[in-house]
Amino acid sequence: MSGKRLSVFIALAVAATMAAVAGASSAAGADASSTYLVLYKGTSVPADAAKTIAGAGGTLVQSYDRIGVAVARSSSASFADQLGQDNRIEGVSSTAGLATQLTEEVEAAPAIAPAAQWGDPLSGLQWDMVQIHVPEAYAINAGSPSVVVGDLDTGLDWSHPDLAANVDFAKSVSCEGGVPNQNPAAWMDHFGHGTHTAGTIAADDNGIGIVGVAPDVKIAGIKTSNDDGFFFPEAVVCAFMWAADHGIDVTNNSYFADPWLFNCLNDPEQRAIWKAEQRAIRYAMQKGVAVVAAQGNENLDLSKQNIDEISPDFPPGQAERREVTNACKIVPVEVPGVIGVTANGNLLQKAYYSSYGVGVADVTAPGGDRRFQLTPAAPNGFVLSTVPGGYAYSQGTSMASPHVAGVAALAISAHGKMSPGALEALIQRTADEQACPPNPFNPGPPFAFEATCKGGAGSNGFYGHGQVNALSAGS
């Protein structure tokens, strides 16, 4: 996850700097109106929705009739209250506006890669792939081009030489603003995060750069954020509806949906956001889309009550410290049926930042750990992948999740299309079990990273059913 997602990039010598990766800020002040999600009580949007929204002082932007959700815009301060008087509406929630630009930490990195023992020239730096048995899987199953992974992220650099051959232009789209736009310029990645996750999933085995988990599958860039890395609810709803209706097999989701880390059901505005997003995700699952999601980078146990200190993260400076109960959920990882992924490092320990929790974590995968899990194979602890202009290192559960999405694609390639539930069970069943470390787990000072692991070797809060295994799942 970026910014709030704690993705720290280190530019490789062959890459452009992340200053070139980050796009320009959205133009402030261009539009004083706000975006709203309108949640209807039924699963359809009334035929007169445009008229009633206009009567409340707004404009209908997009209608998702199959789930009873509409996207609207209005500059009226009373819009939500007026529209909410329609007894067919369950909730009206303001979602977003213009965002300030996020930045990434940039550091120098070694220019010389160790000799690659498999794959492409930079594969010698891909300790993460070795850790989940990708080289062995690659020898027998590199994925099928009939399988499509939708990367719901900041976009995709479709011109990158390690990705271009695998990009499915017909199934790629921008959902920024809640409205699908298939112009390739619209879903180009100006932030860098989406191109990084896409490379982990499906970087081509073409003799240059790196190799992804499933280098022969297709990747669809589904831009679900703005160029500043904010994933607002109208874009999340649009993205899942697009995936559902365009034959996407697996989605990777390395983010939480802004502006709330936790959406609490006892708050009308947050409840409307949660329900609208949940409806879209469930619709996608019903259409056969498997949903893989990052657990988060706050080192929180999602199975219990927590303190949320970063919400709302938009508009900037509005965050308030609040206690949240189990009635407060993170989207998408806490939607039932979503495959939740925690992050580990090269010592097979939970990454210091990774959130966790029994019943939320399904499996773990390499996300990197620059503080406590430095090894000869991972001297900076980070995960290497593609970015616009080249390659870069990063860490986070954002980096862990696409490993699992790639493994899911290998599993479908090997065993055929299956229901999301069956695919989740296969990934769990083929994972390498890992027991909890001694409690309380504390990788080292500062003690802010202390965490408690609950459960046995076959199912626990840190690692779920274990570390994902590309060979076992894909053969």
Side-chain angles (χ1 to χ4, degrees):
M1 302 181 172
S2 89
K4 56 193 176 269
R5 301 159 187 81
L6 203 134
S7 295
V8 180
F9 283 93
I10 298 182
L12 195 63
V14 296
T17 66
M18 285 308 296
V21 171
S25 297
S26 300
D31 185 354
S33 64
S34 296
T35 302
Y36 294 83
L37 280 185
V38 183
L39 179 73
Y40 289 89
K41 292 178 180 178
T43 56
S44 62
V45 176
D48 65 345
K51 180 179 179 180
T52 57
I53 288 171
T59 302
L60 176 65
V61 174
Q62 188 74 14
S63 176
Y64 293 103
D65 188 62
R66 287 148 295 177
I67 61 170
V69 174
V71 180
R73 288 193 69 82
S74 177
S75 57
S76 171
S78 62
F79 174 74
D81 289 338
Q82 288 191 40
L83 189 61
Q85 294 175 16
D86 186 333
N87 61 15
R88 298 170 299 178
I89 291 174
E90 183 172 339
V92 181
S93 177
S94 174
T95 65
L98 300 172
T100 56
Q101 185 175 13
L102 303 178
T103 58
E104 304 286 2
E105 181 179 343
V106 181
E107 301 176 17
I112 300 175
Q117 302 301 311
W118 68 283
D120 286 350
L122 296 179
S123 291
L125 297 169
Q126 293 186 275
W127 61 269
D128 51 310
M129 299 297 176
V130 174
Q131 187 163 299
I132 63 168
H133 305 287
V134 169
E136 300 98 306
Y138 170 75
I140 60 174
N141 177 16
S144 167
S146 67
V147 175
V148 183
V149 179
D151 197 22
L152 277 61
D153 214 301
T154 62
L156 176 64
D157 179 5
W158 36 262
S159 68
H160 197 292
D162 236 351
L163 294 171
N166 288 340
V167 176
D168 190 327
F169 280 80
K171 295 182 179 181
S172 295
V173 70
S174 170
C175 272
E176 186 174 0
V179 181
N181 182 352
Q182 280 200 276
N183 184 336
W187 48 272
M188 172 59 79
D189 183 13
H190 298 291
F191 192 81
H193 192 268
T195 303
H196 198 282
T197 55
T200 297
I201 297 166
D204 198 10
D205 51 346
N206 55 4
I208 62 172
I210 64 168
V211 175
V213 175
D216 287 354
V217 304
K218 295 299 182 182
I219 188 90
I222 302 178
K223 188 171 183 177
T224 313
S225 78
N226 62 14
D227 284 343
D228 300 313
F230 283 83
F231 293 74
F232 290 121
E234 65 273 15
V236 173
V237 170
C238 169
F240 279 104
M241 297 301 288
W242 178 271
D245 293 335
H246 289 82
I248 303 297
D249 296 295
V250 180
T251 64
N252 179 66
N253 301 268
S254 291
Y255 61 89
F256 69 80
D258 300 286
W260 301 92
L261 173 60
F262 289 91
N263 292 271
C264 296
L265 299 181
N266 61 351
D267 180 284
E269 183 168 319
Q270 295 167 46
R271 183 173 65 248
I273 291 173
W274 159 256
K275 285 197 169 184
E277 292 168 334
Q278 183 186 52
R279 286 185 191 180
I281 293 169
R282 284 180 171 174
Y283 177 76
M285 290 179 179
Q286 289 166 2
K287 289 285 191 174
V289 181
V291 181
V292 179
Q295 193 95 356
N297 303 320
E298 293 75 35
N299 191 34
L300 294 176
D301 182 349
L302 301 186
S303 69
K304 67 178 186 62
Q305 296 186 12
N306 281 295
I307 302 295
D308 179 3
E309 298 183 307
I310 66 173
S311 299
D313 62 4
F314 184 87
Q318 299 301 304
E320 297 181 359
R321 190 176 191 273
R322 59 181 185 147
E323 293 185 7
V324 291
T325 69
N326 285 340
C328 303
K329 305 292 185 180
I330 297 176
V331 177
V333 72
E334 289 195 270
V335 173
V338 170
I339 301 171
V341 185
T342 64
N344 65 10
N346 197 218
L347 295 177
L348 299 180
Q349 296 177 357
K350 183 185 88 70
Y352 66 92
Y353 54 79
S354 181
S355 291
Y356 54 100
V358 173
V360 183
D362 284 279
V363 288
T364 193
D369 186 334
R370 69 182 178 122
R371 289 181 181 268
F372 307 115
Q373 299 189 62
L374 307 183
T375 67
N380 58 30
F382 286 12
V383 173
L384 177 67
S385 191
T386 49
V387 292
Y391 304 84
Y393 288 104
S394 189
Q395 73 167 11
T397 55
S398 283
M399 285 63 250
S401 182
H403 288 86
V404 179
V407 170
L410 289 183
I412 295 172
S413 300
H415 306 292
K417 182 72 172 180
M418 62 190 84
S419 70
L423 182 59
E424 179 182 25
L426 187 153
I427 289 172
Q428 293 174 345
R429 184 174 66 252
T430 57
D432 296 326
E433 291 185 359
Q434 188 169 350
C436 283
N439 283 321
F441 172 73
N442 185 32
F447 293 99
F449 305 119
E450 187 171 284
T452 298
C453 184
K454 300 176 182 177
S459 179
N460 60 65
F462 276 15
Y463 311 115
H465 293 264
Q467 181 175 256
V468 69
N469 188 315
L471 177 63
S472 298
S475 60

PDB file of all heavy atoms in Angstrom, residues 4-35:
ATOM      1  N   LYS A   4       0.097   6.014   2.943  1.00  0.00           N
ATOM      2  CA  LYS A   4      -0.498   5.295   4.066  1.00  0.00           C
ATOM      3  C   LYS A   4      -0.180   3.819   3.988  1.00  0.00           C
ATOM      4  O   LYS A   4      -0.338   3.084   4.928  1.00  0.00           O
ATOM      5  CB  LYS A   4      -2.008   5.471   4.018  1.00  0.00           C
ATOM      6  CG  LYS A   4      -2.584   5.015   2.691  1.00  0.00           C
ATOM      7  CD  LYS A   4      -3.989   5.476   2.519  1.00  0.00           C
ATOM      8  CE  LYS A   4      -4.489   5.090   1.152  1.00  0.00           C
ATOM      9  NZ  LYS A   4      -4.282   6.060   0.135  1.00  0.00           N
ATOM     10  N   ARG A   5       0.240   3.358   2.794  1.00  0.00           N
ATOM     11  CA  ARG A   5       0.503   1.941   2.566  1.00  0.00           C
ATOM     12  C   ARG A   5       1.950   1.576   2.874  1.00  0.00           C
ATOM     13  O   ARG A   5       2.359   0.459   2.689  1.00  0.00           O
ATOM     14  CB  ARG A   5       0.158   1.602   1.112  1.00  0.00           C
ATOM     15  CG  ARG A   5      -1.307   1.904   0.819  1.00  0.00           C
ATOM     16  CD  ARG A   5      -1.569   2.072  -0.652  1.00  0.00           C
ATOM     17  NE  ARG A   5      -2.933   2.516  -0.836  1.00  0.00           N
ATOM     18  CZ  ARG A   5      -3.323   3.777  -0.692  1.00  0.00           C
ATOM     19  NH1 ARG A   5      -2.453   4.723  -0.418  1.00  0.00           N
ATOM     20  NH2 ARG A   5      -4.578   4.110  -0.834  1.00  0.00           N
ATOM     21  N   LEU A   6       2.765   2.562   3.255  1.00  0.00           N
ATOM     22  CA  LEU A   6       4.114   2.309   3.723  1.00  0.00           C
ATOM     23  C   LEU A   6       4.953   1.572   2.688  1.00  0.00           C
ATOM     24  O   LEU A   6       5.708   0.683   2.992  1.00  0.00           O
ATOM     25  CB  LEU A   6       4.078   1.518   5.037  1.00  0.00           C
ATOM     26  CG  LEU A   6       5.296   1.617   5.946  1.00  0.00           C
ATOM     27  CD1 LEU A   6       4.844   1.840   7.379  1.00  0.00           C
ATOM     28  CD2 LEU A   6       6.135   0.364   5.901  1.00  0.00           C
ATOM     29  N   SER A   7       4.844   1.967   1.441  1.00  0.00           N
ATOM     30  CA  SER A   7       5.722   1.434   0.410  1.00  0.00           C
ATOM     31  C   SER A   7       6.934   2.344   0.321  1.00  0.00           C
ATOM     32  O   SER A   7       6.810   3.505  -0.020  1.00  0.00           O
ATOM     33  CB  SER A   7       5.019   1.410  -0.949  1.00  0.00           C
ATOM     34  OG  SER A   7       3.943   0.524  -0.931  1.00  0.00           O
ATOM     35  N   VAL A   8       8.105   1.827   0.637  1.00  0.00           N
ATOM     36  CA  VAL A   8       9.322   2.613   0.550  1.00  0.00           C
ATOM     37  C   VAL A   8      10.116   2.125  -0.647  1.00  0.00           C
ATOM     38  O   VAL A   8      10.470   0.958  -0.743  1.00  0.00           O
ATOM     39  CB  VAL A   8      10.160   2.474   1.842  1.00  0.00           C
ATOM     40  CG1 VAL A   8      11.418   3.303   1.743  1.00  0.00           C
ATOM     41  CG2 VAL A   8       9.342   2.900   3.051  1.00  0.00           C
ATOM     42  N   PHE A   9      10.398   2.998  -1.591  1.00  0.00           N
ATOM     43  CA  PHE A   9      11.090   2.622  -2.810  1.00  0.00           C
ATOM     44  C   PHE A   9      12.582   2.929  -2.714  1.00  0.00           C
ATOM     45  O   PHE A   9      12.980   3.963  -2.201  1.00  0.00           O
ATOM     46  CB  PHE A   9      10.529   3.381  -4.010  1.00  0.00           C
ATOM     47  CG  PHE A   9       9.219   2.872  -4.508  1.00  0.00           C
ATOM     48  CD1 PHE A   9       8.031   3.420  -4.056  1.00  0.00           C
ATOM     49  CD2 PHE A   9       9.167   1.842  -5.421  1.00  0.00           C
ATOM     50  CE1 PHE A   9       6.813   2.954  -4.527  1.00  0.00           C
ATOM     51  CE2 PHE A   9       7.954   1.371  -5.907  1.00  0.00           C
ATOM     52  CZ  PHE A   9       6.785   1.938  -5.447  1.00  0.00           C
ATOM     53  N   ILE A  10      13.401   2.015  -3.240  1.00  0.00           N
ATOM     54  CA  ILE A  10      14.811   2.273  -3.446  1.00  0.00           C
ATOM     55  C   ILE A  10      15.080   2.140  -4.934  1.00  0.00           C
ATOM     56  O   ILE A  10      14.847   1.093  -5.518  1.00  0.00           O
ATOM     57  CB  ILE A  10      15.712   1.275  -2.685  1.00  0.00           C
ATOM     58  CG1 ILE A  10      15.475   1.401  -1.183  1.00  0.00           C
ATOM     59  CG2 ILE A  10      17.168   1.497  -3.011  1.00  0.00           C
ATOM     60  CD1 ILE A  10      16.355   0.502  -0.366  1.00  0.00           C
ATOM     61  N   ALA A  11      15.555   3.179  -5.579  1.00  0.00           N
ATOM     62  CA  ALA A  11      15.770   3.134  -7.029  1.00  0.00           C
ATOM     63  C   ALA A  11      16.986   2.288  -7.360  1.00  0.00           C
ATOM     64  O   ALA A  11      18.051   2.447  -6.773  1.00  0.00           O
ATOM     65  CB  ALA A  11      15.955   4.546  -7.566  1.00  0.00           C
ATOM     66  N   LEU A  12      16.837   1.362  -8.294  1.00  0.00           N
ATOM     67  CA  LEU A  12      17.954   0.573  -8.789  1.00  0.00           C
ATOM     68  C   LEU A  12      18.696   1.386  -9.831  1.00  0.00           C
ATOM     69  O   LEU A  12      18.146   2.280 -10.444  1.00  0.00           O
ATOM     70  CB  LEU A  12      17.427  -0.720  -9.414  1.00  0.00           C
ATOM     71  CG  LEU A  12      18.438  -1.838  -9.685  1.00  0.00           C
ATOM     72  CD1 LEU A  12      19.051  -2.347  -8.393  1.00  0.00           C
ATOM     73  CD2 LEU A  12      17.755  -2.983 -10.414  1.00  0.00           C
ATOM     74  N   ALA A  13      19.963   1.091 -10.061  1.00  0.00           N
ATOM     75  CA  ALA A  13      20.763   1.886 -10.979  1.00  0.00           C
ATOM     76  C   ALA A  13      20.179   1.902 -12.384  1.00  0.00           C
ATOM     77  O   ALA A  13      20.322   2.875 -13.111  1.00  0.00           O
ATOM     78  CB  ALA A  13      22.191   1.367 -11.016  1.00  0.00           C
ATOM     79  N   VAL A  14      19.522   0.807 -12.793  1.00  0.00           N
ATOM     80  CA  VAL A  14      18.971   0.752 -14.140  1.00  0.00           C
ATOM     81  C   VAL A  14      17.623   1.453 -14.236  1.00  0.00           C
ATOM     82  O   VAL A  14      17.028   1.493 -15.302  1.00  0.00           O
ATOM     83  CB  VAL A  14      18.804  -0.709 -14.604  1.00  0.00           C
ATOM     84  CG1 VAL A  14      20.145  -1.384 -14.706  1.00  0.00           C
ATOM     85  CG2 VAL A  14      17.880  -1.469 -13.670  1.00  0.00           C
ATOM     86  N   ALA A  15      17.147   1.979 -13.096  1.00  0.00           N
ATOM     87  CA  ALA A  15      15.819   2.583 -13.085  1.00  0.00           C
ATOM     88  C   ALA A  15      15.896   4.099 -13.102  1.00  0.00           C
ATOM     89  O   ALA A  15      16.883   4.697 -12.711  1.00  0.00           O
ATOM     90  CB  ALA A  15      15.056   2.152 -11.831  1.00  0.00           C
ATOM     91  N   ALA A  16      14.807   4.702 -13.532  1.00  0.00           N
ATOM     92  CA  ALA A  16      14.652   6.134 -13.325  1.00  0.00           C
ATOM     93  C   ALA A  16      14.404   6.371 -11.851  1.00  0.00           C
ATOM     94  O   ALA A  16      13.975   5.481 -11.123  1.00  0.00           O
ATOM     95  CB  ALA A  16      13.462   6.642 -14.140  1.00  0.00           C
ATOM     96  N   THR A  17      14.699   7.555 -11.339  1.00  0.00           N
ATOM     97  CA  THR A  17      14.445   7.844  -9.937  1.00  0.00           C
ATOM     98  C   THR A  17      12.959   7.925  -9.700  1.00  0.00           C
ATOM     99  O   THR A  17      12.174   8.178 -10.610  1.00  0.00           O
ATOM    100  CB  THR A  17      15.092   9.175  -9.519  1.00  0.00           C
ATOM    101  OG1 THR A  17      14.428  10.227 -10.232  1.00  0.00           O
ATOM    102  CG2 THR A  17      16.566   9.198  -9.834  1.00  0.00           C
ATOM    103  N   MET A  18      12.556   7.727  -8.449  1.00  0.00           N
ATOM    104  CA  MET A  18      11.131   7.779  -8.155  1.00  0.00           C
ATOM    105  C   MET A  18      10.577   9.184  -8.306  1.00  0.00           C
ATOM    106  O   MET A  18       9.380   9.381  -8.405  1.00  0.00           O
ATOM    107  CB  MET A  18      10.865   7.252  -6.749  1.00  0.00           C
ATOM    108  CG  MET A  18      10.981   5.744  -6.659  1.00  0.00           C
ATOM    109  SD  MET A  18       9.998   4.878  -7.888  1.00  0.00           S
ATOM    110  CE  MET A  18       8.369   5.369  -7.387  1.00  0.00           C
ATOM    111  N   ALA A  19      11.460  10.201  -8.347  1.00  0.00           N
ATOM    112  CA  ALA A  19      10.975  11.539  -8.635  1.00  0.00           C
ATOM    113  C   ALA A  19      10.358  11.590 -10.020  1.00  0.00           C
ATOM    114  O   ALA A  19       9.399  12.320 -10.273  1.00  0.00           O
ATOM    115  CB  ALA A  19      12.119  12.540  -8.539  1.00  0.00           C
ATOM    116  N   ALA A  20      10.907  10.799 -10.940  1.00  0.00           N
ATOM    117  CA  ALA A  20      10.344  10.739 -12.281  1.00  0.00           C
ATOM    118  C   ALA A  20       9.111   9.861 -12.320  1.00  0.00           C
ATOM    119  O   ALA A  20       8.242  10.019 -13.175  1.00  0.00           O
ATOM    120  CB  ALA A  20      11.380  10.206 -13.266  1.00  0.00           C
ATOM    121  N   VAL A  21       9.033   8.902 -11.375  1.00  0.00           N
ATOM    122  CA  VAL A  21       7.884   8.004 -11.322  1.00  0.00           C
ATOM    123  C   VAL A  21       6.629   8.719 -10.859  1.00  0.00           C
ATOM    124  O   VAL A  21       5.544   8.553 -11.401  1.00  0.00           O
ATOM    125  CB  VAL A  21       8.174   6.820 -10.388  1.00  0.00           C
ATOM    126  CG1 VAL A  21       6.923   6.008 -10.151  1.00  0.00           C
ATOM    127  CG2 VAL A  21       9.282   5.970 -10.971  1.00  0.00           C
ATOM    128  N   ALA A  22       6.790   9.545  -9.808  1.00  0.00           N
ATOM    129  CA  ALA A  22       5.617  10.190  -9.223  1.00  0.00           C
ATOM    130  C   ALA A  22       5.022  11.186 -10.202  1.00  0.00           C
ATOM    131  O   ALA A  22       5.727  11.948 -10.844  1.00  0.00           O
ATOM    132  CB  ALA A  22       6.009  10.897  -7.923  1.00  0.00           C
ATOM    133  N   GLY A  23       3.722  11.174 -10.348  1.00  0.00           N
ATOM    134  CA  GLY A  23       3.067  12.082 -11.279  1.00  0.00           C
ATOM    135  C   GLY A  23       2.830  13.430 -10.652  1.00  0.00           C
ATOM    136  O   GLY A  23       3.017  13.642  -9.451  1.00  0.00           O
ATOM    137  N   ALA A  24       2.404  14.363 -11.449  1.00  0.00           N
ATOM    138  CA  ALA A  24       2.098  15.689 -10.955  1.00  0.00           C
ATOM    139  C   ALA A  24       0.843  15.640 -10.101  1.00  0.00           C
ATOM    140  O   ALA A  24      -0.027  14.810 -10.285  1.00  0.00           O
ATOM    141  CB  ALA A  24       1.891  16.646 -12.124  1.00  0.00           C
ATOM    142  N   SER A  25       0.736  16.576  -9.143  1.00  0.00           N
ATOM    143  CA  SER A  25      -0.437  16.633  -8.279  1.00  0.00           C
ATOM    144  C   SER A  25      -1.672  16.974  -9.085  1.00  0.00           C
ATOM    145  O   SER A  25      -1.601  17.621 -10.123  1.00  0.00           O
ATOM    146  CB  SER A  25      -0.229  17.700  -7.203  1.00  0.00           C
ATOM    147  OG  SER A  25       0.845  17.366  -6.374  1.00  0.00           O
ATOM    148  N   SER A  26      -2.811  16.521  -8.577  1.00  0.00           N
ATOM    149  CA  SER A  26      -4.056  16.899  -9.212  1.00  0.00           C
ATOM    150  C   SER A  26      -4.209  18.408  -9.148  1.00  0.00           C
ATOM    151  O   SER A  26      -3.765  19.045  -8.201  1.00  0.00           O
ATOM    152  CB  SER A  26      -5.229  16.231  -8.495  1.00  0.00           C
ATOM    153  OG  SER A  26      -5.111  14.839  -8.545  1.00  0.00           O
ATOM    154  N   ALA A  27      -4.826  18.978 -10.136  1.00  0.00           N
ATOM    155  CA  ALA A  27      -4.972  20.424 -10.193  1.00  0.00           C
ATOM    156  C   ALA A  27      -5.968  20.886  -9.146  1.00  0.00           C
ATOM    157  O   ALA A  27      -7.149  20.601  -9.225  1.00  0.00           O
ATOM    158  CB  ALA A  27      -5.449  20.841 -11.579  1.00  0.00           C
ATOM    159  N   ALA A  28      -5.479  21.607  -8.141  1.00  0.00           N
ATOM    160  CA  ALA A  28      -6.333  22.043  -7.042  1.00  0.00           C
ATOM    161  C   ALA A  28      -7.237  23.184  -7.491  1.00  0.00           C
ATOM    162  O   ALA A  28      -6.863  24.034  -8.279  1.00  0.00           O
ATOM    163  CB  ALA A  28      -5.479  22.477  -5.854  1.00  0.00           C
ATOM    164  N   GLY A  29      -8.436  23.165  -6.950  1.00  0.00           N
ATOM    165  CA  GLY A  29      -9.342  24.260  -7.195  1.00  0.00           C
ATOM    166  C   GLY A  29     -10.067  24.211  -8.519  1.00  0.00           C
ATOM    167  O   GLY A  29     -10.803  25.134  -8.866  1.00  0.00           O
ATOM    168  N   ALA A  30      -9.873  23.148  -9.311  1.00  0.00           N
ATOM    169  CA  ALA A  30     -10.484  23.088 -10.631  1.00  0.00           C
ATOM    170  C   ALA A  30     -11.983  22.848 -10.539  1.00  0.00           C
ATOM    171  O   ALA A  30     -12.734  23.224 -11.420  1.00  0.00           O
ATOM    172  CB  ALA A  30      -9.831  21.994 -11.468  1.00  0.00           C
ATOM    173  N   ASP A  31     -12.439  22.225  -9.467  1.00  0.00           N
ATOM    174  CA  ASP A  31     -13.848  21.867  -9.357  1.00  0.00           C
ATOM    175  C   ASP A  31     -14.203  21.874  -7.883  1.00  0.00           C
ATOM    176  O   ASP A  31     -13.618  21.136  -7.091  1.00  0.00           O
ATOM    177  CB  ASP A  31     -14.066  20.482  -9.958  1.00  0.00           C
ATOM    178  CG  ASP A  31     -15.533  20.081  -9.982  1.00  0.00           C
ATOM    179  OD1 ASP A  31     -16.350  20.828  -9.426  1.00  0.00           O
ATOM    180  OD2 ASP A  31     -15.829  19.013 -10.549  1.00  0.00           O
ATOM    181  N   ALA A  32     -15.143  22.737  -7.493  1.00  0.00           N
ATOM    182  CA  ALA A  32     -15.500  22.858  -6.086  1.00  0.00           C
ATOM    183  C   ALA A  32     -16.514  21.821  -5.650  1.00  0.00           C
ATOM    184  O   ALA A  32     -16.869  21.761  -4.482  1.00  0.00           O
ATOM    185  CB  ALA A  32     -16.053  24.256  -5.812  1.00  0.00           C
ATOM    186  N   SER A  33     -17.000  21.004  -6.577  1.00  0.00           N
ATOM    187  CA  SER A  33     -18.005  20.008  -6.225  1.00  0.00           C
ATOM    188  C   SER A  33     -17.366  18.805  -5.556  1.00  0.00           C
ATOM    189  O   SER A  33     -16.161  18.574  -5.657  1.00  0.00           O
ATOM    190  CB  SER A  33     -18.785  19.577  -7.470  1.00  0.00           C
ATOM    191  OG  SER A  33     -17.940  18.938  -8.391  1.00  0.00           O
ATOM    192  N   SER A  34     -18.176  18.011  -4.865  1.00  0.00           N
ATOM    193  CA  SER A  34     -17.731  16.802  -4.183  1.00  0.00           C
ATOM    194  C   SER A  34     -18.386  15.582  -4.813  1.00  0.00           C
ATOM    195  O   SER A  34     -19.449  15.678  -5.431  1.00  0.00           O
ATOM    196  CB  SER A  34     -18.104  16.861  -2.695  1.00  0.00           C
ATOM    197  OG  SER A  34     -17.428  17.931  -2.052  1.00  0.00           O
ATOM    198  N   THR A  35     -17.739  14.435  -4.631  1.00  0.00           N
ATOM    199  CA  THR A  35     -18.268  13.173  -5.142  1.00  0.00           C
ATOM    200  C   THR A  35     -19.013  12.440  -4.031  1.00  0.00           C
ATOM    201  O   THR A  35     -18.580  12.455  -2.876  1.00  0.00           O
ATOM    202  CB  THR A  35     -17.124  12.296  -5.675  1.00  0.00           C
ATOM    203  OG1 THR A  35     -16.430  13.009  -6.696  1.00  0.00           O
ATOM    204  CG2 THR A  35     -17.650  10.990  -6.255  1.00  0.00           C
TER     205      THR A  35
END
